[in-house]
Amino acid sequence: MGLRTDIGVNNSGYTMRLLYICLLLVASSSAEFEEISDVTFDGEPGIWNGAPTVDLENYTHVQICANHTSWNATMTDTYWNTDMADTICQYFGFTGSMIIEVMDFAAPGFAMCKKEQNNTDSRLQLSCKFLEVCVGVPIISCLLPGYEGCYTQTATDPFFTNGSLADLGDQQVNIQTCAEACSDSPYLGLTNGSNCICGSGLGNRSLVGDCDLGCQGDDLQQCGGEEATSVYSASVIGQCESERVEIIPDQPHYITSPNFPDIYEANVSCSWILDINVPLFHDLEIITTFDFEDDNIQHLDISSESDLVELTPAGTSGTTVLSRTPYSTLQDTITVSLTPSSGGNSTAFVMKFTLMSNTMYTPANDYTTAPPPESTTSKAGQNVNLGKLAMSAGLGVILAAILLV
Ligand SMILES: *[C@@H]1O[C@H](CO)[C@@H](O)[C@H](O)[C@H]1NC(C)=O
Ligand SMILES: *[C@@H]1O[C@H](CO)[C@@H](O)[C@H](O)[C@H]1NC(C)=O
Ligand SMILES: *[C@@H]1O[C@H](CO)[C@@H](O)[C@H](O)[C@H]1NC(C)=O
Ligand SMILES: *[C@@H]1O[C@H](CO)[C@@H](O)[C@H](O)[C@H]1NC(C)=O
Ligand SMILES: *[C@@H]1O[C@H](CO)[C@@H](O)[C@H](O)[C@H]1NC(C)=O
Ligand SMILES: *[C@@H]1O[C@H](CO)[C@@H](O)[C@H](O)[C@H]1NC(C)=O
Ligand SMILES: *[C@@H]1O[C@H](CO)[C@@H](O)[C@H](O)[C@H]1NC(C)=O
Ligand SMILES: *[C@@H]1O[C@H](CO)[C@@H](O)[C@H](O)[C@H]1NC(C)=O
Ligand SMILES: *[C@@H]1O[C@H](CO)[C@@H](O)[C@H](O)[C@H]1NC(C)=O
C-alpha cells in the first residue's frame, strides 16, 4: 500500500491510525448493498442535472461514485454506466440521460451503487453501499421533455421540412434559447454544437444520427453532432400557457415551468388543462420534480374535476409521485395552475403525466416497461469524459488517509 511510504511508520501513533484506517476500509467494504429511498441532484438548478447523491442507513447525502479504487473485472455491475444514469433520470420523470461527465474527486465518503431490478420501489432501481474512497463522481444531465431523437440528414433527404436557421442574437446556443427562438415552430433542432434550426415538420426518422456534441452555451446539454441533429418538440419546453391537451394512454405528457430549465420570475400565472377521456380504467401516474424549499414563492396546484387528483407541492424539494391505481374516472379534466405570490425568482419544475393502459393486473409502477423515447440512439455513455479522471487511485487513498488521521 502506498500509504506506508508517505506517512512515517516508526511513529506508533501513526501506525495505530493506519491500522484503524485499514480496519475502516475493510469494515466499509464489507457493508452490504442497501436499498435507498431517494436520490437527489447536488448543484444548481438540480432539477434535471447535477451530481447524484443518496442517503444510506448510516450516512446522509453522499455522492454516488462513478469509479472507485477497488474496481475490478468481477465487479462490472458497479461500474458507472449509461444504464444507471438513465435509471436516475427516469426516477425524476425524464426519459433518460443526455450527458454523463466524470469529475475527479477524492474526499472520503461516497456511495457505490448498482442497478437493482428487484427493489421495493420499482421506480428507484438502485442499491448502494458506503465507500471510503472514490476517484470520480458522475455529473449527469437528463434528456429534457419533448426530445424526439437524434437524426441525421442527406442533401436529398433534409431532416426538417422547411427548417430555417434561427438567429439567437448575442445569446449562446442551448436548448432553452433555441426553444425560445423557435417558439412559433412545432420543432427545433440543435446541430454541430452551435446551430439552432426551427422546423415545421419532421423528416425521415429512420436516418438515426450520432449526437455527441455539447452545446456552445452549456456543455451539460447536447446540441447534436457534426452530421446529426438533436430534435425537440418546441411546444413542450418552458411554455407557460398551452392549448387544452388530451392525455393519450401510454404517451407521457409533460408540463414544465416557464423558461424551463432555467429560473423564472415569480409573477407569472400559467395554467395547463389536460383532458382524460378513455374507455377503460387506467393507472394514472403524475411525477413532479421541483425545488420549492428556499423560495416558498409560487403556488403550484394540480386539481381535477373528479377531485381524485390533488397536489400542492410547497416548502419542499424532490420528487413527488401521485399514483391512482386504477384511476376510476373515465372522463376527467386536470388543471395545473401556477399563481404568483411574492416577488423574486423561482426554480424550475417538471411534471410527467402518464396514463398506463392494461395495468389492471400488474404493478402500477412498473416504470421500466414504459415505451422508450423514439429511437434515442445518442448514447450518453459516449460522452463520458475520461480525460477528467485525472486523480489516481493511490492519491485518493492518501487523501482519504490524510483527512481521516
Ligand atoms: C449502521 O451502523 C450500525 C451501528 O454501528 C451497524 O450495526 C449497521 O450494520 C450499519 N449499517 C450499515 C448498512 O452499514
Ligand atoms: C472505471 O474504471 C474501469 C477500470 O479501471 C475503466 O475501465 C472504466 O473506463 C472507468 N470508468 C469511468 C467512467 O471512468
Ligand atoms: C474483485 O472484487 C471482488 C469483490 O470485492 C473480490 O472478491 C475479488 O477478489 C477481486 N478480484 C481481484 C482480481 O482483485
Ligand atoms: C426479489 O425480491 C423478493 C423479495 O425480497 C424475493 O422473494 C425474490 O426472490 C427476489 N427476486 C429476485 C429475482 O431476486
Ligand atoms: C413549406 O413552406 C411553404 C411556403 O412557406 C409552404 O407552402 C409549405 O406548406 C411548407 N411545407 C411544410 C411541410 O410545412
Ligand atoms: C461544425 O462546426 C465546426 C466548428 O465549430 C466547423 O468547422 C464545421 O464546418 C461545422 N460543420 C458543419 C457541417 O457545419
Ligand atoms: C429514409 O432514408 C432511408 C435511407 O436513406 C431510405 O432507405 C428510406 O427509404 C427513407 N424513407 C423515406 C420515407 O423517405
Ligand atoms: C414580472 O416582473 C418583471 C420585473 O420584475 C416584469 O418585467 C415583468 O413584466 C413581470 N411580468 C408579468 C407577467 O407581470
Ligand atoms: C431574477 O432573475 C433575473 C434574470 O435572471 C434577474 O435579472 C433578477 O435580478 C432576478 N431577481 C431576483 C429578485 O433575484
Side-chain angles (χ1 to χ4, degrees):
M1 232 176 163
L3 275 173
R4 296 240 162 84
T5 56
D6 288 277
I7 306 173
V9 282
N10 290 338
N11 182 317
S12 61
Y14 274 127
T15 315
M16 284 309 288
R17 280 180 216 172
L18 275 175
L19 196 63
Y20 172 74
I21 292 161
C22 292
L23 285 174
L24 209 68
L25 286 170
V26 169
S28 67
S29 63
S30 65
E32 289 302 309
F33 280 97
E34 352 166 354
E35 282 194 23
I36 52 168
S37 56
D38 196 11
V39 54
T40 53
F41 279 138
D42 247 9
E44 295 293 324
I47 297 291
W48 64 285
N49 69 12
T53 69
V54 295
D55 288 345
L56 300 175
E57 190 184 324
N58 295 328
Y59 305 92
T60 56
H61 212 62
V62 288
Q63 289 196 341
I64 295 181
C65 187
N67 233 342
H68 52 87
T69 53
S70 58
W71 193 92
N72 71 36
T74 62
M75 295 170 71
T76 47
D77 56 348
T78 62
Y79 161 58
W80 184 264
N81 56 31
T82 316
D83 211 21
M84 290 234 283
D86 285 349
T87 303
I88 290 171
C89 287
Q90 284 163 8
Y91 175 69
F92 294 116
F94 299 103
T95 50
S97 62
M98 176 158 57
I99 288 194
I100 305 172
E101 285 204 46
V102 176
M103 313 299 277
D104 46 304
F105 209 90
F110 293 92
M112 173 167 67
C113 300
K114 63 177 182 180
K115 195 169 175 192
E116 190 76 83
Q117 305 283 354
N118 204 18
N119 277 3
T120 339
D121 181 351
S122 67
R123 227 165 47 83
L124 188 59
Q125 301 187 326
L126 290 181
S127 293
C128 303
K129 74 176 184 178
F130 187 73
L131 194 72
E132 289 289 341
V133 179
C134 168
V135 294
V137 297
I139 308 287
I140 67 181
S141 59
C142 301
L143 284 170
L144 298 186
Y147 184 62
E148 295 283 333
C150 174
Y151 303 105
T152 187
Q153 59 185 327
T154 62
T156 54
D157 217 349
F159 183 71
F160 276 127
T161 43
N162 287 7
S164 60
L165 199 62
D167 180 6
L168 299 184
D170 54 7
Q171 285 186 301
Q172 297 250 294
V173 174
N174 62 26
I175 299 166
Q176 57 271 41
T177 55
C178 185
E180 214 171 295
C182 297
S183 59
D184 292 334
S185 305
Y187 297 98
L188 60 102
L190 298 137
T191 183
N192 202 22
S194 56
N195 290 339
C196 165
I197 302 164
C198 308
S200 57
L202 294 179
N204 185 344
R205 300 232 260 170
S206 67
L207 297 170
V208 166
D210 189 8
C211 292
D212 56 2
L213 291 176
C215 297
Q216 209 177 49
D218 181 354
D219 62 8
L220 272 179
Q221 296 183 34
Q222 218 164 45
C223 279
E226 259 182 60
E227 307 273 325
T229 309
S230 304
V231 179
Y232 286 84
S233 286
S235 62
V236 184
I237 310 167
Q239 298 290 315
C240 181
E241 302 289 334
S242 76
E243 284 169 20
R244 209 176 171 102
V245 172
E246 186 166 327
I247 306 187
I248 312 291
D250 298 323
Q251 287 181 20
H253 182 77
Y254 283 95
I255 286 175
T256 61
S257 47
N259 205 31
F260 183 84
D262 285 347
I263 53 170
Y264 60 95
E265 303 212 42
N267 59 357
V268 296
S269 327
C270 306
S271 73
W272 299 267
I273 298 173
L274 310 174
D275 285 319
I276 291 177
N277 185 1
V278 286
L280 287 169
F281 292 144
H282 286 69
D283 292 340
L284 175 68
E285 182 187 70
I286 305 173
I287 302 177
T288 309
T289 300
F290 54 96
D291 180 5
F292 295 165
E293 206 155 34
D294 301 328
D295 42 15
N296 198 5
I297 291 166
Q298 72 276 63
H299 289 293
L300 179 66
D301 296 287
I302 305 175
S303 60
S304 70
E305 262 173 11
S306 68
D307 288 337
L308 286 172
V309 179
E310 260 184 78
L311 184 69
T312 304
T316 52
S317 65
T319 303
T320 295
V321 182
L322 193 69
S323 282
R324 291 288 172 261
T325 317
Y327 185 53
S328 54
T329 304
L330 301 182
Q331 280 186 312
D332 204 354
T333 297
I334 298 175
T335 304
V336 180
S337 53
L338 186 65
T339 49
S341 47
S342 57
N345 290 328
S346 295
T347 49
F349 64 83
V350 59
M351 273 182 229
K352 181 192 186 194
F353 294 78
T354 319
L355 259 187
M356 285 170 275
S357 58
N358 304 318
T359 48
M360 287 284 276
Y361 305 105
T362 55
N365 42 9
D366 193 2
Y367 194 85
T368 50
T369 59
E374 286 182 61
S375 47
T376 56
T377 53
S378 98
K379 276 279 155 256
Q382 287 162 356
N383 293 310
V384 170
N385 192 341
L386 295 173
K388 295 201 179 173
L389 247 184
M391 199 70 77
S392 77
L395 195 52
V397 172
I398 291 163
L399 244 158
I402 291 167
L403 286 164
L404 280 167
V405 170

